[in-house]
Amino acid sequence: MRLQRRVAIITGAASGIGQATALQFAREGAAVVVADIDQTGGLACAEAIRAAGGNAIFIETDVREKRDLRRMVGAAVESYGGLDILHNNAFWNAPGTAKDISEADWQATLAVTLTAVWQGSQLAIPHLLERRSGVILNTASVHSIVGLAGSAAYQAAKGGVLSLTRAMSLELAPKVRVVAILPGAIETPATKQTPAAAHAEFVSQVPLGRMGQAGEIASVAAFLASDEASYITGAGIVVDGGYTAR
């Protein structure tokens, strides 16, 4: 198992990509801290891991609150003796153009999607440095590198996640690797709320002709968190069915 004896925190782990990654990391041998604001989904994810023979705890976490992030990191260290992997995966998207979005929606999107990545990492870094082979994974987006009209705050936040990934990778090398994953159109509870016509239009632009599955992102995350990816840092790994190759 590639993550045997590793300790991992995953934010936004109650559903979607985060949940799939928590389950995958546990199958790979990691002890997992399931962090999410959704108590019901988070508890269910941790219980599913334990029912399958894995090791997990749930910590209710609002990533906008630094005290919650501090408690999340502290729980990992207290429960499992250290920290090897931080996967900053939680996000929020308040749609709106740069012309029309409200300041409140702009601030909320950046708080969850970008600022929490920095604050969570800042709190985790001392523990990751102790391991001398720590990993920070950041869920960015294909919209870190290509345009998306109507989601100005999300676009800005995800672009920031990719740039922050590059900066931290230089600051923390060689002891900690920092990598961003750039998913394309992935089928999650959030994307299932997209109107059918818009969904079909987006899928028509994907060369592989379908939406990706959360488990396909989780598999990439497990590889990047493992020693098999020991020479990868500062990169944005695109997993998008060919969308950005057009």
Side-chain angles (χ1 to χ4, degrees):
M1 293 187 285
R2 292 181 292 183
L3 303 180
Q4 190 72 38
R5 294 184 296 278
R6 307 290 172 87
V7 179
I9 295 172
I10 302 170
T11 67
S15 64
I17 290 171
Q19 180 188 72
T21 303
L23 295 168
Q24 181 70 39
F25 278 20
R27 285 192 293 269
E28 296 281 1
V32 179
V33 175
V34 175
D36 205 292
I37 198 170
D38 174 4
Q39 184 181 59
T40 301
L43 286 168
C45 179
E47 176 55 34
I49 289 171
R50 291 192 294 267
N55 197 348
I57 57 172
F58 168 67
I59 301 296
E60 186 173 354
T61 308
D62 181 346
V63 297
R64 296 170 297 181
E65 301 292 340
K66 191 168 186 178
R67 65 176 179 270
D68 280 17
L69 293 169
R70 183 177 287 110
R71 181 163 52 87
M72 173 190 78
V73 172
V77 174
E78 182 178 344
S79 298
Y80 299 119
L83 181 63
D84 300 282
I85 303 160
L86 172 65
H87 187 189
N88 293 302
N89 173 73
F91 83 99
W92 178 257
N93 176 22
T97 66
K99 174 178 175 291
D100 298 323
I101 192 169
S102 70
E103 183 174 351
D105 282 346
W106 174 274
Q107 295 292 358
T109 300
L110 265 67
V112 176
T113 308
L114 177 58
T115 302
V117 174
W118 160 63
Q119 288 193 322
S121 297
Q122 187 180 59
L123 292 165
I125 284 168
H127 304 286
L128 296 171
L129 287 171
E130 287 179 6
R131 296 297 220 220
R132 295 182 172 270
S133 59
V135 180
I136 297 173
L137 297 179
N138 297 324
T139 301
S141 168
V142 291
H143 297 296
S144 300
I145 56 175
V146 297
L148 176 66
S151 290
Y154 178 81
Q155 183 98 39
K158 288 300 190 181
V161 169
L162 181 56
S163 290
L164 179 60
T165 297
R166 293 178 180 131
M168 290 197 301
S169 73
L170 299 176
E171 293 165 357
L172 298 175
K175 294 180 180 178
V176 176
R177 295 188 297 109
V178 189
V179 187
I181 303 173
L182 281 61
I186 306 300
E187 237 175 315
T188 66
T191 58
K192 287 176 182 176
Q193 298 173 13
T194 305
H199 181 278
E201 170 63 22
F202 196 94
V203 171
S204 73
Q205 300 177 55
V206 178
L208 291 187
R210 64 174 178 85
M211 298 277 280
Q213 299 301 307
E216 293 176 298
I217 304 301
S219 294
V220 174
F223 163 70
L224 291 172
S226 77
D227 291 341
E228 293 177 10
S230 58
Y231 203 55
I232 300 175
T233 195
I237 307 301
V238 177
V239 190
D240 70 347
Y243 177 78
T244 55
R246 294 172 303 116

